[in-house]
Amino acid sequence: MGCHGEVGRDIDGFIAGRLLTGATIGLVIAGGAYVSTVDEATFCGWLFSATKLVNPFFALLDAEVAHRLAVSAAARGWVPREKRSDSSNLGLEVWGRKFSNPLGLAAGFDKNAEAVEGLLGLGFGFVEVGSVTPVPQEGNPKPRIFRLRQEGEVMVDICAIINRCGFNSEGIVAVAKRLGAQHGKRKLDETAGSSTSSNDEVKYGGKAGPGILGVNLGKNKTSEDAAADYVQGVHTLSQYADYLVINVSSPNTPGLRMLQGRKQLKDLVKKVLNFRHELIVQAARDEMQWGEEGPPPLLVKIAPDLSKEDLEDIAAVALALRLDGLLWVFSYDSSLLILVLLLLANLVIWKSS
């Protein structure tokens, strides 16, 4: 009896195992069949929702390690790709560039232009790479990225990130090679797909294909000539950028914020603008083509914690030199409102005169 009982249990276990395997295979086949019938937009939404399951694992890692893994994943195409097209109501045109939507990824995430295509594939209207320095530099000693955690009712949430990297960069040459290779690949893809596109469609994007690409320029920590550093960035990277940013806002580079003073900023921007003008003249002389949109606009990134007097000086310089724009980090104080009002007031005076 004992022997027969054991044999019976083995047979039951075997049958149960086969049923479980069959049920699993059936569910996989049925799931695959269902997925094949749903529209691409729905399936894309599932993929983005599924990434939330991975976030807790990244939170267990060192902050900079998690950052590097995220950049590497985007560079290799291991992130979801947004297949749903943006509503035409989200489209906008700035500086002659057509943005498919106004939501972008700021500089600091993809510092060395490793993952432009993957990040734009997530659905951003633009991606800004950098800050890029002329010469490679390590930045500040590690650890230099910190998480601020807030205890909730159920778990500990990450409510903010402190970044003290200090312009860690592979340098202009490495970034130029990477952007050049990406630009060449996109040109080939556009040429191959040009016959299938409609002339009636509004074509969004720029140098980065479907999205707008900004390049944020920084100065080296040990450099004594900030203007020369920014000029070198404009010279090397302007051909790949839809817009360029002079970053004078970082508190992690000694002496950088001093460039936000009225005289210092005016001298700096003048030198960069003069060089850009020389590039435009040279391009016309050598019959080079910037494209219909023209040379990349030049913006200046400023700090969020400036005084009213500093903001007045920056507004005056921006209007006097006809800067294409200003970038600043969001702040909870009234600096943003003050700057906007100053620019609008000065713009009205300038236009009326």
Side-chain angles (χ1 to χ4, degrees), residues 132-136 171-174 176 215 217-220 223 225-239 244 246 268 271-272 275-276 279:
V132 187
T133 57
V135 180
I172 283 177
V173 174
V215 177
L217 305 174
K219 70 175 283 290
N220 280 112
S223 174
D225 189 346
D229 281 12
Y230 292 114
V231 163
Q232 189 175 346
V234 171
H235 178 263
T236 308
L237 299 175
S238 60
Q239 59 186 314
L244 294 166
I246 297 175
L268 172 66
K271 289 178 181 178
V272 178
F275 180 78
R276 188 183 67 161
L279 276 182

Side-chain angles (χ1 to χ4, degrees), residues 183-199:
H183 185 68
K185 179 179 177 295
R186 279 190 295 270
K187 283 294 182 184
L188 287 174
D189 293 342
E190 288 172 7
T191 303
S194 60
S195 58
T196 59
S197 60
S198 171
N199 292 330

